[in-house]
Amino acid sequence: MAIKIYTKEFAGALENVFSVRQHFLNTFGGALQVKDGITNKDEFLELKVSDTDVTVQNYDLGENVGFGTGTGNSTRFGERKEIKSVDVQVPYEAPLAIHEGVDNMTVNDNADEVVAERAALHAEAWIEQVNGLLSKALSENAGGTVKAKELTEEGVKEAFTEAYKTFINNKVSNDIGWTAYVSADVLNILVDHKLTTTAKASDADIGENTISMFKGFRVEVLADEYFQTGENILFAADNVGVAGVGIEIYRLIDSEDFAGVAIQAAAKYGKYIPEKNKKAIIKAKLKAPVAA
């Protein structure tokens, strides 16, 4: 939103008070993958996946295993498992499009400036679209759900405790980061929590209403719209997936229908979360406390 003010006393631009940024970066590989000039036949990712579990077997010391009557038709190492990579094609999904126009006769502003401003806003709009799609993907691919706890100080603590225990038992490496994406309601409870004191090395700041860590998880607050119905916390390890946008076209066209340019853009979104990584994603559905 660009608002320009022109008066005899003052000329300037109001600051845009709304912040749009990409969320879930740590969870999806640290960056949004962007590919320019895709076609409708392009795939988001082409992977070779070797997902065969390691089997540890007993070394067989039998007299006729690998020796004696077993010579040439047995082995003391046990059965041999063949390792193969499987080709995985990850398609793009959720097409995105923009179609606008700037008519020099009606724009009531510098047309070139307006076009430049729209380009920046288009990037922000696509980021918002991707944020929503990634939040939904995390919810749909969560390997577990924290349930039956209330949205109270005790309930929030129990949710974090359960998520931490689950990550440890699932052997999710704590050498990488773990993030808890929380709603504003959950953040407020964490900042006010009796556990978040300087005596326990907490960095909760009531003045700034911030807290960076709680029970092993980085805390990032998100707007309610990034959570699916009934959910208010998403726990996820770093790098559980990858996400990207393929830009098919972004163009300005001198229009035949009006005295100006048409702005057209088409892109596709893609994401991939390996099946094994789903155990490193947990969602929480904390219920509003029952009134006394």
Side-chain angles (χ1 to χ4, degrees), residues 57-80:
Q57 304 174 118
N58 292 326
Y59 190 82
D60 195 337
L61 296 175
E63 180 179 351
N64 290 310
V65 176
F67 292 90
T69 59
T71 302
N73 61 14
S74 65
T75 172
R76 289 188 168 182
F77 292 96
E79 292 185 356
R80 180 183 292 125

XYZ file of all heavy atoms in Angstrom, residues 57-80:
181
model
N 23.264 -57.547 11.614
C 23.001 -58.976 11.782
C 24.095 -59.629 12.633
O 25.202 -59.094 12.773
C 22.950 -59.669 10.402
C 21.940 -59.043 9.465
C 22.002 -59.628 8.061
O 21.044 -60.202 7.602
N 23.132 -59.478 7.384
N 23.770 -60.774 13.199
C 24.767 -61.549 13.929
C 25.744 -62.190 12.951
O 25.355 -62.646 11.869
C 24.098 -62.639 14.772
C 23.275 -62.069 15.915
O 23.632 -61.042 16.476
N 22.178 -62.722 16.234
N 27.003 -62.198 13.321
C 28.027 -62.892 12.524
C 27.948 -64.380 12.878
O 28.118 -64.768 14.026
C 29.408 -62.322 12.861
C 30.510 -62.784 11.936
C 30.713 -62.171 10.712
C 31.349 -63.839 12.304
C 31.725 -62.583 9.862
C 32.358 -64.269 11.465
C 32.549 -63.629 10.240
O 33.560 -64.052 9.406
N 27.618 -65.186 11.877
C 27.346 -66.618 12.103
C 28.652 -67.416 12.136
O 29.373 -67.492 11.144
C 26.425 -67.136 10.989
C 25.798 -68.478 11.339
O 26.367 -69.204 12.181
O 24.738 -68.777 10.767
N 28.959 -68.012 13.282
C 30.183 -68.794 13.452
C 29.946 -70.288 13.288
O 30.772 -71.112 13.698
C 30.787 -68.518 14.844
C 31.254 -67.077 15.090
C 31.712 -66.917 16.527
C 32.366 -66.711 14.134
N 28.833 -70.675 12.665
C 28.524 -72.095 12.468
C 29.622 -72.826 11.689
O 30.211 -72.268 10.757
N 29.877 -74.054 12.056
C 30.982 -74.832 11.461
C 30.826 -74.969 9.956
O 31.817 -74.952 9.211
C 31.023 -76.214 12.121
C 32.124 -77.112 11.587
C 32.158 -78.460 12.283
O 31.431 -78.616 13.284
O 32.905 -79.333 11.815
N 29.571 -75.097 9.485
C 29.332 -75.295 8.060
C 28.699 -74.066 7.397
O 27.925 -74.184 6.448
C 28.434 -76.517 7.845
C 29.165 -77.803 8.164
O 30.275 -78.037 7.685
N 28.545 -78.635 8.992
N 29.031 -72.912 7.916
C 28.595 -71.652 7.306
C 29.839 -70.969 6.760
O 30.747 -70.597 7.503
C 27.896 -70.733 8.330
C 27.537 -69.393 7.674
C 26.658 -71.395 8.901
N 29.901 -70.885 5.432
C 31.067 -70.297 4.790
C 32.257 -71.236 4.737
O 33.256 -70.949 4.073
N 32.157 -72.332 5.427
C 33.206 -73.355 5.462
C 32.531 -74.721 5.366
O 31.311 -74.857 5.427
C 34.025 -73.256 6.760
C 34.868 -72.019 6.856
C 34.362 -70.851 7.435
C 36.171 -72.005 6.370
C 35.140 -69.715 7.534
C 36.942 -70.856 6.456
C 36.431 -69.715 7.041
N 33.329 -75.768 5.270
C 32.813 -77.147 5.255
C 31.777 -77.320 4.184
O 31.961 -76.904 3.031
N 30.634 -77.922 4.558
C 29.582 -78.175 3.560
C 28.930 -76.878 3.077
O 28.223 -76.868 2.069
C 28.493 -79.087 4.149
O 27.925 -78.454 5.302
C 29.063 -80.441 4.525
N 29.159 -75.786 3.790
C 28.576 -74.504 3.389
C 29.467 -73.677 2.490
O 29.096 -72.566 2.104
N 30.616 -74.234 2.127
C 31.543 -73.487 1.282
C 30.894 -73.169 -0.070
O 30.380 -74.056 -0.746
C 32.830 -74.296 1.051
O 33.428 -74.597 2.316
C 33.809 -73.521 0.199
N 30.920 -71.896 -0.446
C 30.414 -71.476 -1.761
C 28.924 -71.234 -1.810
O 28.439 -70.695 -2.803
N 28.171 -71.676 -0.793
C 26.726 -71.434 -0.842
C 26.176 -70.823 0.444
O 24.977 -70.837 0.679
C 25.968 -72.732 -1.173
C 26.188 -73.808 -0.119
O 26.688 -73.539 0.968
N 25.799 -75.033 -0.451
N 27.052 -70.285 1.276
C 26.596 -69.601 2.483
C 27.622 -68.541 2.884
O 28.750 -68.534 2.398
C 26.377 -70.599 3.629
O 27.602 -71.189 4.016
N 27.229 -67.658 3.766
C 28.124 -66.601 4.224
C 27.908 -66.357 5.704
O 26.779 -66.423 6.191
C 27.884 -65.287 3.449
O 28.669 -64.242 4.070
C 26.428 -64.871 3.448
N 28.973 -66.093 6.406
C 28.855 -65.806 7.833
C 28.350 -64.381 8.103
O 28.049 -64.043 9.239
C 30.222 -66.008 8.500
C 30.597 -67.495 8.557
C 31.829 -67.750 9.377
N 31.987 -69.190 9.631
C 32.959 -69.722 10.354
N 33.901 -68.945 10.885
N 33.000 -71.025 10.549
N 28.250 -63.557 7.057
C 27.787 -62.187 7.236
C 26.269 -62.066 7.212
O 25.721 -61.005 7.477
C 28.371 -61.284 6.133
C 29.862 -61.090 6.241
C 30.732 -61.881 5.500
C 30.387 -60.140 7.089
C 32.098 -61.714 5.595
C 31.761 -59.958 7.192
C 32.623 -60.752 6.450
N 25.556 -63.141 6.913
C 24.102 -63.076 6.820
C 23.647 -62.648 5.443
O 24.439 -62.521 4.503
N 22.342 -62.448 5.292
C 21.777 -62.072 3.995
C 22.315 -60.724 3.535
O 22.524 -59.814 4.331
C 20.254 -62.012 4.075
C 19.580 -63.361 4.284
C 18.069 -63.242 4.237
O 17.575 -62.081 4.112
O 17.386 -64.265 4.322
N 22.557 -60.616 2.234
C 23.037 -59.373 1.655
C 21.858 -58.535 1.177
O 20.991 -59.026 0.454
C 23.980 -59.660 0.484
C 24.523 -58.394 -0.181
C 25.390 -58.707 -1.393
N 26.620 -59.362 -0.998
C 27.037 -60.544 -1.478
N 26.291 -61.184 -2.367
N 28.164 -61.085 -1.077
